[in-house]
Amino acid sequence: MKILLLIDGNSILNRAYYGIRPLTNAAGLYTHAVYGMMNIILHHLEERKPDYAAVAFDRKAPTFRHQRYDGYKANRKGMPEELAVQLPYAKEVMAGLGLHVLETDGFEADDILGTCAFLGDEDTEVYVLTGDRDALQLIRDHVTVLLASTGETHVFDRAAFGAKYGIKPEQFVDVKALMGDSSDNIPGVPGIGEKTALKLIAEYGSLDGLYAHLNDGGIKGAALTKLNDGKDSAYLSQYLAAIDTEVPLGLSLKDLCYEGVCARQLKPLLTELELTTMIKRLGLDREEAAETMAEDEPSSYRKGSRTELSPATLCRKEIPYASVVLGEGELLLFDGTAGYRIPFADPDEIVPFLADASRTLVVEDLKKLCLLFGRPACKIFDVSLAAYVNDPSEGGYTLDRLAVRYLGQVLPDDADVPRVLYDLAYALNEKLKESEQSTLYYHIEEPLSAVLADMEREGFQIDREGLTAFNDELSQMCREYAEAIYFEAGHAFNLNSPKQLGEVLFDELKLPAAKKKTKTGHYVTDAETLEKLRPYYPIVDRILEYRQVAKLKSTYGDGLLKVADENGRIHSSFNQTVTATGRLSSSEPNLQNIPIRTELGRTMRRFFVPKNEEYLLVDADYSQIELRLLAAIAGDQRMIRAFAEGEDIHAVTASQVFGVPLAGVTPELRKRAKAVNFGIVYGISGFSLGEDLGVPKYEAEQYIKNYLAKYPQVSAYLNEVVEVAKRDGFVTTIFGRRRYIPELSSPKKMVQAFGKRVAMNSPIQGAAADIIKIAMIRVDEALRKSGMDAKLILQVHDELILEAHRSCAEEAAVLLKREMENAVSLAVPLSVEVGIGKNWYECK
């Protein structure tokens, strides 16, 4: 007799969370739910010794039940934040234990378990481990439910179920149809409880049997009235309570083979979580044991034998759809049926293979492929990028994590990576279709990768000599600020030590200290704390100036000189899969954070220059793009009209909010209106706005109220988008980009408030990110077609920079402005400001 163990992941994790005192690792990450879940599951793995095993989890997406009944689970509080942070780790740990992790949009974990329970035959004994009584309806001759409760697990087979409830397990869903379920907000028949429901179903056999004979005289009085009035509710509740046992999982029983713990996957996870007890329990503290387990670990992703092909043979081979992984001097390829190894001495040997437009290739990193071989003519599917589009908040788009997340598989060291890529492409393509984000992926994110690769390869020239001289000036300024600080303190100390600085300021000089301290008991000396003291104590002003100069020197003075290549060019990496909003980021170095708020910071831009004197920089920046998007998306006619007529939107807002004629708007009123304008986009609170403007909270709150009263359609839009996010669990941009917002279901008010701000801002900020990406693709294509000697070299937020030959710089500026302004058609025109200069500073 074979054993199949099926586990309700959410139910067991939830039970473990509430059943164990909170535990955290050194980084403050809560770990007790994962620890408790492991304890429960290891006990059953050891006791049952399954041949097959899987764990199912709920997805965030609405299910078919939500589509039928809006109220389904509407009374459920969101997952506590301390539990939510453990959920991704729980899934990875389950996979590390050797369990197949299953989840699918549109269905609950119960449905997946129900479907898997009937994959076997009479020779397979199935055990369903859960804390949810709903699963009792699955009991059959070969299906037993292990119902976990506080301190013990109740074993329910047919006999045990019949003894407790007096009916057959198959009838239990009809009992739920009558009695309802308050935890899932299933209405049932009002006034009919469990005892009555059990009696009725035992007597009439089923819900259909009950209603077929309802008026035969056997049921009288109030019960008859309730059942007649509640018939529709009963059948709706039956639909909601019934577990779907035909979820299209595409699995067979053999796909759920249990082959033991994967030490290679599990040990690093448990080490990070600091669950040393579990490491010892599983014998992972013995290095040789862990190595043996990793070597012996079976997997459906073992490396298969590969036929070796020469690059020339490969290029002639008809492979319409294949997955590719690049090694040192070799290409590994899987075409859906067979694997190939293609050694090459020069990347140019592979280029003809990539030039066949009839082929579709699957890769882990399209940008890397473009950097190695140039732009391929064939179609490319990037699994990491597709996973990011599917859910930008998940993070960790490595192949190991994607295999666990989308295939329910742990990859061993010798995994057949091309085959994994092939399988991931299918799974992720389906996810993109389900979430209606295919267009976003195929028309924005994927083509952008090639543009970014070219930008990285091209780089941005720096003036080494000028930057070195400026860096020396910054060093001298740091020394002068430090000497002034030491003089006022009465002695020298380590200015870069928060502990020593706190002691000097608050113990020795007796400045008023912040009430809060760090976890180690030291004074808080962050910028926010010191800014409040700045107007009253000269030493604080000098400390903040010192920090600014020191940061400028270390990060940009020293930093840029270190990373420049032999030709003086900086090649920043542009990252597509980092931010939750869809914005690009850059690293090594981060050119998105070149300071612009101070004149000293802006000076740094003087040292970003064209490649030589024959070239110029062309800079274009979207003007107030997020406000324009807000006006267009909200459909606020007053704001749309102001933009259409080219009026100063901040002055117009000041006039509206403060009740003065447009001609009477002072610079101070305009400044306040500008803060309100941008604050509204980010869902700013009265407290934060007051802090920004230096006015009392009540006054700032009044500004916000006045603003929303004058722009009622903006107010209605912001309210609506929050309600949509609460209902769906996510918001979307005008291009379909999703951002999931689990914070809105948190029981904590502060977390909910953060979720509301994210809901208000994400459709705007995400759309701005989409537009700049579309603009980059358009500009790149237009430049290529024009034949101009001009290239796109940098993107910073809403700004694009070209390096253009002097002979075509003006023409390139016209092209840049045109393509950016026409990237999308909105009710509000996009406006772009363009500048040309001998360095980045001059362009602005």
Side-chain angles (χ1 to χ4, degrees):
M1 180 72 74
K2 297 288 187 180
I3 302 294
L4 166 61
L5 178 62
L6 299 169
I7 300 161
D8 185 338
N10 290 86
S11 173
I12 300 302
L13 183 67
N14 198 63
R15 184 163 293 279
Y17 172 78
Y18 288 106
I20 299 178
R21 65 177 178 82
L23 298 171
T24 62
N25 65 3
L29 174 70
Y30 285 92
T31 60
H32 56 295
V34 176
Y35 175 78
M37 187 180 193
M38 285 190 73
N39 260 327
I40 294 169
I41 289 171
L42 283 172
H43 168 74
H44 287 283
L45 287 172
E46 292 160 2
E47 183 177 354
R48 304 293 167 188
K49 296 181 173 54
D51 301 283
Y52 312 96
V55 57
F57 287 92
D58 294 331
R59 276 281 178 90
K60 289 180 284 190
T63 68
F64 66 91
R65 297 179 180 90
H66 294 91
Q67 293 170 2
R68 174 74 176 270
Y69 178 51
D70 287 342
Y72 182 64
K73 292 190 176 182
N75 58 343
R76 283 276 183 100
K77 290 184 178 179
M79 186 180 288
E81 183 184 8
E82 294 84 355
L83 176 57
V85 297
Q86 297 182 68
L87 181 58
Y89 287 96
K91 292 178 183 179
E92 291 193 53
V93 167
M94 292 303 101
L97 287 175
L99 304 171
H100 297 268
V101 179
L102 307 176
E103 51 188 342
T104 187
D105 286 346
F107 299 92
E108 296 179 59
D110 282 350
D111 302 314
I112 296 172
L113 298 177
T115 300
C116 291
F118 298 103
L119 288 177
D121 50 29
E122 299 79 28
D123 294 328
T124 305
E125 189 68 33
V126 180
Y127 292 92
V128 179
L129 175 61
T130 180
D132 189 347
R133 280 204 312 164
D134 290 347
L136 294 175
Q137 64 184 275
L138 297 174
I139 295 171
R140 298 292 186 274
D141 292 340
H142 69 290
V143 180
T144 299
V145 170
L146 306 173
L147 192 63
S149 62
T150 305
E152 60 181 322
T153 300
H154 300 282
V155 179
F156 278 97
D157 55 12
R158 272 197 181 277
F161 180 87
K164 181 172 178 64
Y165 293 104
I167 59 172
K168 297 177 182 179
E170 295 91 335
Q171 297 171 304
F172 192 56
V173 68
D174 288 347
V175 172
K176 292 289 292 285
L178 293 173
M179 63 180 277
D181 186 343
S182 59
S183 67
D184 288 341
N185 206 33
I186 296 176
V189 176
I192 301 295
E194 181 174 1
K195 185 177 179 181
T196 303
L198 283 167
K199 180 182 175 183
L200 290 170
I201 296 302
E203 183 176 349
Y204 289 95
S206 67
L207 192 65
D208 289 341
L210 169 63
Y211 276 102
H213 301 283
L214 184 61
N215 297 305
D216 289 356
I219 303 173
K220 298 178 181 179
L224 179 62
T225 302
K226 291 172 184 176
L227 289 166
N228 269 314
D229 292 346
K231 182 177 180 179
D232 289 344
S233 181
Y235 277 99
L236 169 65
S237 300
Q238 183 192 52
Y239 177 85
L240 298 175
I243 291 175
D244 187 340
T245 60
E246 297 182 354
V247 178
L249 297 175
L251 295 172
S252 64
L253 185 61
K254 67 179 181 179
D255 293 320
L256 303 181
C257 282
Y258 178 68
E259 295 163 333
V261 173
C262 172
R264 185 186 67 83
Q265 171 84 1
L266 196 54
K267 186 178 180 182
L269 268 172
L270 297 183
T271 302
E272 179 185 350
L273 296 172
E274 298 175 11
L275 298 180
T276 53
T277 304
M278 286 298 173
I279 292 175
K280 291 177 182 178
R281 178 175 175 178
L282 293 166
L284 303 182
D285 55 331
R286 299 188 298 276
E287 195 65 36
E288 65 277 9
E291 288 174 4
T292 301
M293 291 172 75
E295 289 168 6
D296 293 344
E297 175 200 356
S299 170
S300 60
Y301 289 126
R302 287 289 188 192
K303 276 187 179 177
S305 59
R306 291 195 176 92
T307 302
E308 186 163 310
L309 296 178
S310 69
T313 304
L314 170 70
C315 295
R316 292 194 299 270
K317 188 172 178 60
E318 292 185 7
I319 302 178
Y321 187 74
S323 51
V324 173
V325 61
L326 298 169
E328 288 294 327
E330 68 173 2
L331 193 74
L332 301 179
L333 184 143
F334 179 74
D335 68 359
T337 56
Y340 304 93
R341 176 181 176 272
I342 304 96
F344 59 88
D346 189 320
D348 288 345
E349 295 179 82
I350 303 298
V351 171
F353 175 68
L354 303 175
D356 187 341
S358 66
R359 291 191 173 112
T360 297
L361 302 182
V362 181
V363 299
E364 186 180 0
D365 189 338
L366 171 55
K367 183 158 65 90
K368 178 182 176 182
L369 187 81
C370 292
L371 284 167
L372 285 171
F373 302 106
R375 296 192 183 196
C378 61
K379 303 177 188 71
I380 301 285
F381 188 88
D382 182 333
V383 294
S384 300
L385 195 53
Y388 167 75
V389 171
N390 183 59
D391 190 343
S393 60
E394 281 187 328
Y397 302 103
T398 61
L399 212 56
D400 275 0
R401 288 176 180 259
L402 295 183
V404 169
R405 197 174 291 154
Y406 293 99
L407 303 177
Q409 295 285 344
V410 177
L411 302 187
D413 290 331
D414 62 349
D416 190 347
V417 176
R419 181 186 288 269
V420 177
L421 287 170
Y422 196 92
D423 292 346
L424 278 171
Y426 176 81
L428 284 163
N429 198 43
E430 290 302 306
K431 291 293 180 188
L432 293 174
K433 290 178 185 175
E434 289 171 17
S435 63
E436 299 181 336
Q437 296 184 97
S438 295
T439 299
L440 175 69
Y441 171 79
Y442 285 107
H443 293 280
I444 298 180
E445 295 293 356
E446 185 189 284
L448 182 66
S449 288
V451 178
L452 296 177
D454 286 349
M455 290 167 60
E456 287 185 17
R457 188 185 298 108
E458 195 66 27
F460 202 151
Q461 189 79 27
I462 61 165
D463 174 3
R464 277 182 180 276
E465 188 177 334
L467 183 55
T468 300
F470 183 61
N471 207 31
D472 291 340
E473 289 180 32
L474 295 176
S475 296
Q476 180 60 31
M477 290 173 70
C478 282
R479 288 192 292 269
E480 290 172 359
Y481 278 123
E483 288 301 322
I485 293 165
Y486 298 154
F487 177 79
E488 294 200 32
H491 62 88
F493 61 95
N494 184 357
L495 266 170
N496 300 314
S497 165
K499 178 177 179 293
Q500 292 186 32
L501 178 61
E503 290 169 351
V504 168
L505 294 179
F506 306 119
D507 286 339
E508 296 176 20
L509 299 180
K510 306 300 181 185
L511 270 62
K515 291 181 181 178
K516 60 180 180 178
K517 289 190 174 184
T518 65
K519 289 182 179 179
T520 55
H522 299 142
Y523 291 107
V524 175
T525 58
D526 60 9
E528 182 181 356
T529 300
L530 295 185
E531 281 289 351
K532 294 175 182 176
L533 301 172
R534 188 173 196 161
Y536 312 107
Y537 303 97
I539 189 173
V540 174
D541 186 63
R542 291 189 175 93
I543 289 166
L544 290 170
E545 292 288 353
Y546 168 83
R547 283 183 175 178
Q548 179 198 338
V549 175
K551 171 76 173 176
L552 201 60
K553 179 187 183 304
S554 63
T555 303
Y556 299 106
D558 298 336
L560 293 177
L561 289 168
K562 280 181 185 175
V563 297
D565 66 16
E566 65 277 8
N567 298 314
R569 290 186 83 81
I570 290 172
H571 302 271
S572 179
S573 294
F574 297 99
N575 309 309
Q576 274 180 278
T577 62
V578 172
T579 70
T581 59
R583 286 274 190 187
L584 292 171
S585 67
S586 76
S587 58
E588 298 179 359
N590 181 1
L591 297 184
Q592 304 251 339
N593 281 350
I594 295 289
I596 58 171
R597 292 183 179 276
T598 65
E599 183 55 37
L600 192 64
R602 285 192 293 273
T603 299
M604 188 63 67
R605 294 191 172 203
R606 293 186 185 277
F607 310 110
F608 286 85
V609 296
K611 63 176 74 175
N612 57 49
E613 292 185 357
E614 292 299 312
Y615 287 81
L616 293 169
L617 298 181
V618 183
D619 182 291
D621 198 353
Y622 280 115
S623 173
Q624 302 166 338
I625 187 170
E626 291 188 352
L627 284 178
R628 291 170 186 269
L629 279 165
L630 176 62
I633 294 172
D636 193 282
Q637 295 306 309
R638 187 172 289 177
M639 196 178 283
I640 290 172
R641 186 167 58 252
F643 278 121
E645 294 175 0
E647 295 180 344
D648 180 341
I649 189 63
H650 301 312
V652 170
T653 299
S655 174
Q656 296 288 341
V657 171
F658 302 117
V660 298
L662 195 58
V665 173
T666 64
E668 178 60 27
L669 288 179
R670 185 185 184 279
K671 174 187 170 185
R672 294 188 179 192
K674 182 177 180 180
V676 177
N677 265 331
F678 288 115
I680 289 293
V681 174
Y682 287 87
I684 199 167
S685 66
F687 175 80
S688 296
L689 181 61
E691 289 272 295
D692 291 346
L693 293 176
V695 300
K697 177 186 172 186
Y698 72 85
E699 190 174 331
E701 287 176 340
Q702 192 59 50
Y703 292 166
I704 295 173
K705 287 179 182 176
N706 291 349
Y707 179 99
L708 296 176
K710 293 297 182 181
Y711 296 109
Q713 286 157 303
V714 170
S715 179
Y717 163 73
L718 295 175
N719 290 331
E720 180 187 1
V721 78
V722 171
E723 291 306 310
V724 168
K726 288 179 179 177
R727 182 194 70 208
D728 297 340
F730 60 86
V731 292
T732 59
T733 70
I734 53 177
F735 300 95
R737 184 185 300 278
R738 286 188 182 186
R739 180 169 181 182
Y740 293 94
I741 311 176
E743 294 87 355
L744 285 172
S745 58
S746 170
K748 294 186 176 181
K749 296 295 183 185
M750 287 185 65
V751 178
Q752 284 184 26
F754 171 76
K756 288 180 181 178
R757 291 195 297 273
V758 170
M760 292 177 187
N761 172 249
S762 291
I764 306 298
Q765 195 177 95
D770 295 334
I771 289 172
I772 194 75
K773 288 177 176 180
I774 293 169
M776 292 170 75
I777 296 166
R778 288 175 59 106
V779 168
D780 176 79
E781 184 179 359
L783 286 173
R784 287 172 175 274
K785 287 181 178 177
S786 72
M788 276 188 264
D789 187 0
K791 291 181 180 178
L792 187 59
I793 60 171
L794 185 63
Q795 179 269 340
V796 178
H797 306 307
D798 304 321
E799 181 180 358
L800 296 181
I801 301 174
L802 304 180
E803 185 176 58
H805 194 273
R806 286 177 176 271
S807 62
C808 63
E810 293 286 349
E811 187 181 355
V814 172
L815 179 149
L816 183 59
K817 180 179 174 68
R818 180 188 70 230
E819 298 303 328
M820 288 178 70
E821 289 186 339
N822 290 285
V824 63
S825 177
L826 299 170
V828 173
L830 295 179
S831 176
V832 173
E833 298 172 356
V834 183
I836 300 175
K838 291 182 289 185
N839 58 57
W840 192 2
Y841 184 91
E842 278 191 11
C843 292
K844 304 297 288 185

